[in-house]
Amino acid sequence: MRLPLPLLAATLVALPALAACTQNAASETTGSSGDGTVTVSSTDDACRLSSTEAPSGRLTFEVTNDGSQVTEFYLLDQDGKRIVGEVENIGPQLTRQLVVQAAPGTYTTACKPGMKGDGIRADFTVTDSGTKVETSADEQAMVEEAQEDYRAWVQQQSDLLVQRTRAFVEAYEAGDDRTAKALYPRARTPWERIETVAESFGDLDPRMDAREVDLEPGQEWTGWHRLEKDLWPARAEKYASLTQQQRKQYAEGLLANTVDLDKRIGGLTFTVDQIANGSRGLLEEVAKSKVSGEEEYWSRTDLYDFQANVDGARKALDVLTPLLRARDPQLLTTLQHRFDALQQLLDAQRSGDGFRSYDQLSQQQVHRLADAVNAVAEPLSRLTAAVIS
Amino acid sequence: MQQRSGQQRPDQQRPDQQRPDLQRLEQPPAPRGARVSRRGLIGGGAAAAGLAGAFVAGHASAQSPSGTSAGTSSYAFRGAHQAGIVTPAQDRLHFAAFDVTTGSRAQLVALLRAWTDAAERMTRGLPAGGGAVEGAPDLPPDDTGEAIGLPASGLTITFGFGPGLFRDAHGRDRFGIADRRPAALAQLPHFPGDVLDEARSYGDLCVQACADDPQVAVHAIRNLARIGFGTVAVRWSQLGFGRTSTTSTSQSTPRNLFGFKDGTHNVKAEQASAVDEHVWVAAGDDPAAEWLAGGSYLVARRFDMAIEVWDRQTLGDQEDSIGRTKGTGAPLSGGGEFTRPDFTMAGSHGPVIPEDAHVSVVHPDHNGGARMLRRGYNFVDGTDALGGLNAGLFFLAYVRDPRTQFIPIQAKMAKADALMEYLQVTGSALFAVPPGAGAGEHVGQALFT
């Protein structure tokens, strides 16, 4: 995934009952088959559409920027206030697509060269083709509920993280390595469940979760994995244990950063596309560093992280379930089945109230886990588009 | 090749007969054209020696945009610069790094002479040694034979010297050349995200064989390795297909395994002043290493791509990671493939080309004007242990000084490039590439005289 969650993006697209997704695939052949494609030419002072009306159903605006500055294209409601669909950041001479499910009615189109002002507006009519378009009035409520559920859950995990980290660093600082080792993977669990949120704080993430191989020259190594190596130095060559003073310093630093993170998470809200993208991102984390046993190089507790990432991805799907059921029930069924299959494989690796060491997995078991992750991740990559279109 | 080297076969007992190329060291080279050429007469005795990188004969493949048509061209081996650097990038690669196993300077020099001779022959479409089928029936043939009947296929063979050639791991001056080590020839620093496999990194010598036919490239490395047994040992090698750069304006821009055009703004052979500025080491660049003037530095890095993860990213995210459209390769700030990116053009959430887009991070405008001549290749080494494609980009770049060109750009990439999310570097090496060999000289001769 590219950015875990674009938390810093100020403009969050409101999700209307009639929603849209943007695509920028190569031009489709327009043809004369009435496939609902309207071509749009946006210049610096004009917005030309190949047609000012189209039949209801799936509607594609193929927007070409024939001007000299960045442009945007909007489909708005009749009053020109509510955004039905938009496509942003179209550079000069580039073409982007806006795909919407449009119900019959009157709309407003707008090109916005230079992304300034209200844009160049015109009326647009969607005639009744007989195609049924989902316009459930409940959908907005579903969106709001999903957002609130997810927000509350992230906050809960963040609180849990502070609580468990505190217990972990206390044991570690006190030199109770046995307890610290037992607490380490459990304290990290809430972190890994909301990893895509936590990672979006570019300053905190390297301080808290950097792995040794990812350090830049001169960068001080702090955070979870610094302590991990100190607790499990068996795989290290010529490792010198941290002094009591260093222990204290790193442990308190981790706790302070965790508290800071918790504070910052407090004010966050999440849009459905962020929730869906976060879910995808968590599975990619599993695919890249957990299933391969790279994340917990010293402790070999990768399966705890694995489970936590899956928990987070699944939670996102759960809060989006009502919405997805309305938009793409088949995708929902596929995802639920495949999450269940993945969970079954993970459950087989439980030991007591935790998980076996990564080293105890056979190559075949790792392979099967990786296959199951791929099986979930592939359809999951369609979740965002499904819930916003 | 490695397996064979471990076997104590009879050839170990008859080095004089087994290694005609070494045996020939004290003799003048065999008359050209005396043997049957793989290419018949086309690549025969009329070699235009001295025209570095010039076409000797034929042209169809290298000038065709795809470079995939029948390889009927060949490039002169000798010249002011080694071939295989600004030569229009061929479609196939076999790259090998060697450890020198001898402590004898004389043997090392003898090998370079033997390699030079064999390389010159092979790039002309001739067998490595006397021939694959012309020798005595009770001896292994001089040439391994798999290239019989194949044209030269634009083969170029380029040699380089690693830092370990000058001093070994214990700091010992192995061949009396330590004081001539170029200052820039040191092991590359660790970059964030490097997960280097020793068995895919480093090496005292390297050989880059590029051709339009994979069999010809493999034949070249195989025969050079064979000539070298006893003096050098293969440390690692890499096959590549689908050049991922354009080194000539006569070539179209190819695509890497992420599906994006790669090398749009590469340094190209026709840009003579850019090549002089960014690729060739100039006289005076390094007073201790004047022998390198007219040469270059070669950075080799194996970038493993997280193919399956990448394939699950949306088109919009993929394009934002690169900073170009996937279709035409135009920068996101608009225009066509070769339109200059406008990094200041505002978009709705920051610049239209995101600041962490690959094109923005590595662009010369953001790196003090530093450029590189890239010559990378796609690779797919089958499937990994988890069923994923073991694939990526074998990055090769020629620079005048890695300390001001490659190293700062790679450091920045490791820190700030969105693309690094999908990349892991598993192999890494740096070599000094000596200038071309003149008539009667061997590669790197100036270093040893």
Side-chain angles (χ1 to χ4, degrees), chain B residues 67-244:
Chain B
T68 52
S69 56
T72 53
S73 58
S74 64
Y75 298 101
F77 177 76
R78 293 179 189 275
H81 308 292
Q82 289 198 63
I85 302 174
V86 296
T87 311
Q90 301 91 327
D91 265 7
R92 303 293 183 142
L93 168 81
H94 192 181
F95 187 96
F98 296 84
D99 288 328
V100 177
T101 54
T102 181
S104 155
R105 175 174 167 134
Q107 276 186 38
L108 174 62
V109 171
L111 173 68
L112 291 173
R113 202 171 292 143
W115 270 2
T116 300
D117 182 47
E120 180 174 25
R121 293 173 60 77
M122 289 191 285
T123 55
R124 294 166 65 198
L126 297 166
V133 293
E134 287 85 351
D138 60 348
L139 285 175
D142 285 351
D143 182 276
T144 53
E146 74 271 30
I148 294 174
L150 297 177
S153 307
L155 175 69
T156 55
I157 298 173
T158 315
F159 297 94
F161 301 149
L165 195 67
F166 296 82
R167 281 190 197 279
D168 67 13
H170 306 288
R172 279 191 291 262
D173 181 357
R174 303 172 71 183
F175 304 108
I177 53 175
D179 58 346
R180 308 185 75 184
R181 182 183 66 83
L185 186 65
Q187 230 175 62
L188 294 170
H190 170 86
F191 299 99
D194 279 11
V195 187
L196 299 187
D197 179 352
E198 290 268 329
R200 293 186 191 283
S201 301
Y202 318 123
D204 297 331
L205 296 169
C206 76
V207 183
Q208 169 197 285
C210 298
D212 289 321
D213 182 330
Q215 183 123 335
V216 170
V218 168
H219 170 262
I221 294 295
R222 175 177 168 187
N223 281 273
L224 294 175
R226 187 181 183 212
I227 291 167
F229 286 140
T231 311
V232 293
V234 176
R235 183 180 173 92
W236 54 272
S237 84
Q238 180 69 53
L239 290 171
F241 64 91
R243 62 182 171 87
T244 58

Side-chain angles (χ1 to χ4, degrees), chain A residues 182-389:
Chain A
L183 290 178
Y184 172 83
R186 289 169 178 80
R188 279 180 57 78
T189 292
W191 165 278
E192 292 287 334
R193 285 182 184 144
I194 57 170
E195 189 173 14
T196 48
V197 178
E199 278 183 349
S200 54
F201 299 105
D203 55 337
L204 285 181
D205 183 51
R207 276 189 254 154
M208 297 179 71
D209 203 31
R211 290 180 301 146
E212 200 168 11
V213 292
D214 292 332
L215 298 178
E216 292 169 45
Q219 182 186 346
E220 195 197 2
W221 188 26
T222 61
W224 288 106
H225 298 298
R226 184 73 192 81
L227 305 188
E228 180 203 359
K229 185 177 183 179
D230 196 48
L231 284 168
W232 284 273
R235 297 177 84 192
E237 281 174 38
K238 297 181 193 157
Y239 180 76
S241 291
L242 296 181
T243 63
Q244 185 51 41
Q245 198 191 349
Q246 286 171 318
R247 277 198 169 213
K248 188 171 148 74
Q249 177 198 333
Y250 288 122
E252 288 180 0
L254 175 62
L255 184 60
N257 283 324
T258 308
V259 170
D260 186 13
L261 176 73
D262 183 52
K263 232 178 264 167
R264 296 200 215 175
I265 283 176
L268 296 179
T269 55
F270 308 91
T271 57
V272 288
D273 59 324
Q274 289 175 330
I275 297 169
N277 282 338
S279 180
R280 170 168 65 110
L282 285 167
L283 258 281
E284 302 307 3
E285 289 289 334
V286 175
K288 278 188 312 182
S289 60
K290 272 76 173 192
V291 79
S292 56
E294 283 172 39
E295 175 84 11
E296 305 291 355
Y297 181 83
W298 310 105
S299 65
R300 320 308 286 150
T301 55
D302 296 273
L303 287 182
Y304 289 81
D305 296 12
F306 193 140
Q307 177 69 62
N309 281 164
V310 172
D311 289 346
R314 180 93 202 217
K315 179 66 190 181
L317 177 66
D318 289 347
V319 304
L320 295 172
T321 290
L323 202 53
L324 189 56
R325 186 174 290 123
R327 299 273 164 80
D328 191 342
Q330 203 178 347
L331 179 61
L332 176 64
T333 309
T334 302
L335 283 170
Q336 286 173 333
H337 284 156
R338 293 191 181 176
F339 263 116
D340 290 347
L342 173 59
Q343 190 55 55
Q344 245 177 5
L345 288 179
L346 272 171
D347 286 344
Q349 301 306 327
R350 286 191 190 274
S351 162
D353 64 345
F355 283 95
R356 298 165 74 187
S357 158
Y358 184 84
D359 287 339
Q360 288 176 275
L361 294 177
S362 69
Q363 188 58 43
Q364 194 191 13
Q365 285 167 329
V366 172
H367 202 323
R368 287 182 65 196
L369 281 166
D371 291 346
V373 169
N374 279 332
V376 180
E378 190 60 39
L380 197 65
S381 65
R382 308 191 160 272
L383 176 62
T384 308
V387 292
I388 67 169
S389 65

Side-chain angles (χ1 to χ4, degrees), chain A residues 33-237:
Chain A
S33 54
D35 59 356
T37 297
V38 176
T39 59
V40 180
S41 165
S42 172
T43 62
D44 291 349
D45 52 12
C47 185
R48 292 189 202 89
L49 278 70
S50 61
S51 168
T52 56
E53 64 170 58
S56 60
R58 182 185 162 97
L59 192 52
T60 302
F61 293 93
E62 195 166 289
V63 187
T64 301
N65 183 355
D66 293 314
S68 61
Q69 36 187 343
V70 178
T71 194
E72 299 172 343
F73 177 78
Y74 291 86
L75 183 67
L76 304 150
D77 67 2
Q78 186 168 11
D79 301 334
K81 296 210 168 115
R82 190 172 55 78
I83 298 167
V84 177
E86 65 173 325
V87 52
E88 302 176 300
N89 289 336
I90 313 170
Q93 297 160 61
L94 301 186
T95 298
R96 297 282 192 230
Q97 287 187 345
L98 168 65
V99 182
V100 291
Q101 293 289 334
T106 310
Y107 296 84
T108 304
T109 55
C111 292
K112 211 189 273 188
M115 302 181 300
K116 292 191 191 82
D118 287 342
I120 303 158
R121 298 187 169 213
D123 289 338
F124 190 86
T125 307
V126 174
T127 57
D128 193 348
S129 65
T131 308
K132 195 174 178 307
V133 179
E134 294 284 346
T135 57
S136 164
D138 294 337
E139 287 194 0
Q140 185 58 34
M142 288 183 202
V143 167
E144 283 166 14
E145 200 179 328
Q147 291 175 342
E148 174 51 26
D149 281 359
Y150 194 71
R151 189 204 61 75
W153 180 76
V154 169
Q155 187 59 59
Q156 186 196 351
Q157 294 305 314
S158 178
D159 294 343
L160 195 59
L161 176 66
V162 173
Q163 190 187 319
R164 290 192 186 176
T165 304
R166 181 167 283 128
F168 163 68
V169 301
E170 275 169 14
Y172 174 75
E173 242 188 282
D176 183 358
D177 286 7
R178 193 154 162 242
T179 307
K181 282 182 176 183
L183 290 178
Y184 172 83
R186 289 169 178 80
R188 279 180 57 78
T189 292
W191 165 278
E192 292 287 334
R193 285 182 184 144
I194 57 170
E195 189 173 14
T196 48
V197 178
E199 278 183 349
S200 54
F201 299 105
D203 55 337
L204 285 181
D205 183 51
R207 276 189 254 154
M208 297 179 71
D209 203 31
R211 290 180 301 146
E212 200 168 11
V213 292
D214 292 332
L215 298 178
E216 292 169 45
Q219 182 186 346
E220 195 197 2
W221 188 26
T222 61
W224 288 106
H225 298 298
R226 184 73 192 81
L227 305 188
E228 180 203 359
K229 185 177 183 179
D230 196 48
L231 284 168
W232 284 273
R235 297 177 84 192
E237 281 174 38

Side-chain angles (χ1 to χ4, degrees), chain B residues 393-424:
Chain B
L393 175 72
F394 187 63
F395 175 94
L396 294 171
Y398 288 89
V399 294
R400 181 172 168 182
D401 189 338
R403 295 167 300 181
T404 55
Q405 293 168 276
F406 173 76
I407 292 173
I409 295 175
Q410 175 68 56
K412 200 168 146 208
M413 225 182 118
K415 186 184 165 76
D417 193 328
L419 209 50
M420 287 304 289
E421 181 99 17
Y422 312 99
L423 299 174
Q424 195 175 61

